[in-house]
């Protein structure tokens, strides 16, 4: 598990991939951090940060030297060198960097590289499904920014949602929304009616599944579950689970943690309404807001 906000703000997906690959190669060769650090004449903490994906200034020649020491093939070495280049490449949301909460930059890296996303949300409509008006009200409640900064945050959310609607390989996404989300008024009744109709319409897309966990389901997993996002990647990159709270962000990536979240998600899915009844409920509540 990765826990502190400062750690997360320095981590990107290419750095994580590079770090994990170097850690696996070191362990496969039977070396400890101390042994490798001594041979390569670097500090143990520097090597540890590299393996955790927290080293912001990674040099291609250093990675090449490490790969040679581990006896990696030329093809494998070239692949890891490309990850170094990707880690320093400007991402599309770079212009919004001053508006992004600590740790959320890491999630954006995960989101843009994902092949599948699995959400559970019990508090608010997920950002990828938010209308501009709903998002503007959320940002107004949670931030002390100027009107221009709020508008830019809204623009970021709208731009992110393109991964669900683009023509070429849109991301597959499953959203399990607790009924509380639908009943919590953000902005005005008119805003909520438009938002819920938008969610229902998005649920008709082939790559998107939206299901409501009703009040009558109680606690399907046996306890109250915080909102989370499970992220799956291509190229055998291990999945992660992202959790964001008011005072911190966590990423779970250990196998046992992932299995536990998969089990929780399965229980929530079993308790949720099917897709069509979920859309019917969304539109029914939208009509109530319009009355």
């Amino acid at each position: 598990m990765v826990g502190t906000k400062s750690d997360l703000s320095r981590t990107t997906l290419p750095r994580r991939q590079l770090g994990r690959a170097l850690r696996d190669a070191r362990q496969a060769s039977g070396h400890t951090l101390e042994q490798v650090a001594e041979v390569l004449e670097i500090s143990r903490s520097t090597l540890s940060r590299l393996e955790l994906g927290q080293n912001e200034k990674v040099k291609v020649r250093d990675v090449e030297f490490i790969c040679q020491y581990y006896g990696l093939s030329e093809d494998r070495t070239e692949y890891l060198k490309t990850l170094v280049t990707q880690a320093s490449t400007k991402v599309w949301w770079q212009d919004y960097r001053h508006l992004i909460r600590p740790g959320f930059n890491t999630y954006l890296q995960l989101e843009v590289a994902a092949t599948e996303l699995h959400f559970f949300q019990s508090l608010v409509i997920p950002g990828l499904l938010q209308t501009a008006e709903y998002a503007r009200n959320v940002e107004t409640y949670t931030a002390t920014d100027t009107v221009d900064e709020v508008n830019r945050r809204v623009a970021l959310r709208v731009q992110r949602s393109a991964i669900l609607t683009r023509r070429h390989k849109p991301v597959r996404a499953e959203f399990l929304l607790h009924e509380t989300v639908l009943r919590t008024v953000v902005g005005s009744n008119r805003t909520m009616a438009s938002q819920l109709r938008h969610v229902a319409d998005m649920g008709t897309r082939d790559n998107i599944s939206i299901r409501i966990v009703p009040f009558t389901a109680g606690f399907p997993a046996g306890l109250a579950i915080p909102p989370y996002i499970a992220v799956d990647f291509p190229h055998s990159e291990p999945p992660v689970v992202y959790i964001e709270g008011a005072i911190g962000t966590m990423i779970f990536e250990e196998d046992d943690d992932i299995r536990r979240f998969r089990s929780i998600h399965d229980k929530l899915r079993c308790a949720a309404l099917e897709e069509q009844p979920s859309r019917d409920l969304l539109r029914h509540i939208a009509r109530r807001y319009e009355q």
Side-chain angles (χ1 to χ4, degrees):
M1 180 185 74
V2 181
T4 66
K5 291 190 291 184
S6 58
D7 288 343
L8 288 170
S9 66
R10 296 197 304 269
T11 305
T12 66
L13 184 62
R15 289 179 196 150
R16 289 179 61 252
Q17 291 173 318
L18 175 64
R20 181 180 286 105
L22 293 178
R23 182 194 64 193
D24 291 346
R26 174 181 59 77
Q27 293 176 342
S29 67
H31 293 94
T32 65
L33 280 170
E34 290 77 7
Q35 291 170 336
V36 176
E38 182 178 358
V39 172
L40 300 182
E41 297 182 347
I42 59 176
S43 70
R44 182 191 183 282
S45 61
T46 296
L47 184 58
S48 177
R49 287 197 302 273
L50 179 60
E51 291 189 358
L52 290 172
Q54 296 172 358
N55 194 329
E56 297 182 13
K57 297 180 180 179
V58 183
K59 297 179 180 179
V60 172
R61 64 174 180 270
D62 291 343
V63 170
E64 185 173 21
F65 183 42
I66 293 173
C67 290
Q68 290 175 351
Y69 179 69
Y70 292 155
L72 300 183
S73 67
E74 183 176 342
D75 287 346
R76 184 63 172 170
T77 298
E78 287 302 314
Y79 167 68
L80 297 186
K81 286 164 63 177
T82 64
L83 291 180
V84 178
T85 303
Q86 292 175 19
S88 59
T89 300
K90 182 179 178 180
V91 291
W92 67 263
W93 60 83
Q94 190 69 23
D95 292 338
Y96 297 92
R97 63 189 180 279
H98 299 304
L99 302 174
I100 296 174
R101 296 182 298 277
F104 196 63
N105 177 67
T106 300
Y107 171 71
L108 291 177
Q109 289 276 354
L110 304 176
E111 184 179 87
V112 77
T115 53
E116 290 191 25
L117 298 166
H118 301 270
F119 292 77
F120 171 66
Q121 180 55 260
S122 57
L123 301 174
V124 67
I125 299 291
L128 291 180
L129 295 177
Q130 290 179 7
T131 63
E133 186 61 26
Y134 184 97
R136 186 171 291 107
N137 279 281
V138 170
E139 290 296 340
T140 301
Y141 290 150
T142 60
T144 57
D145 300 323
T146 64
V147 172
D148 179 65
E149 288 171 330
V150 168
N151 288 337
R152 294 186 68 197
R153 286 181 186 272
V154 172
L156 171 61
R157 295 195 186 206
V158 172
Q159 191 167 353
R160 281 174 52 211
S161 66
I163 66 172
L164 299 178
T165 58
R166 65 194 180 199
R167 291 186 178 182
H168 181 64
K169 294 184 179 180
V171 170
R172 300 190 63 82
E174 177 189 30
F175 297 89
L176 301 181
L177 308 180
H178 195 276
E179 189 174 345
T180 302
V181 175
L182 317 186
R183 307 284 185 177
T184 302
V185 178
V186 175
S188 65
N189 284 358
R190 182 178 178 180
T191 298
M192 290 301 300
S194 176
Q195 174 64 75
L196 297 190
R197 290 191 184 281
H198 174 71
V199 173
D201 290 345
M202 289 291 284
T204 64
R205 301 183 66 91
D206 291 340
N207 62 305
I208 298 175
S209 172
I210 298 174
R211 298 173 61 187
I212 308 303
V213 180
F215 287 133
T216 54
F219 296 100
L223 68 168
I225 304 299
Y228 62 80
I229 309 171
V231 189
D232 291 323
F233 306 101
H235 309 304
S236 300
E237 171 72 8
V240 302
V241 173
Y242 173 88
I243 295 180
E244 182 181 41
I247 60 174
T249 301
M250 292 185 292
I251 289 181
F252 294 84
E253 48 190 343
E254 297 298 328
D255 291 343
D256 288 345
D257 292 328
I258 299 301
R259 280 193 292 270
R260 185 179 182 194
F261 274 104
R262 296 291 196 204
S263 175
I264 289 172
H265 197 77
D266 286 343
K267 292 176 182 177
L268 291 170
R269 184 190 291 121
C270 289
L273 301 176
E274 295 296 332
E275 292 182 17
Q276 185 60 57
S278 293
R279 289 195 291 271
D280 292 343
L281 179 60
L282 283 160
R283 291 177 174 135
H284 171 73
I285 298 176
R287 288 193 297 270
R288 296 288 298 272
Y289 280 125
E290 291 170 336
Q291 293 177 356

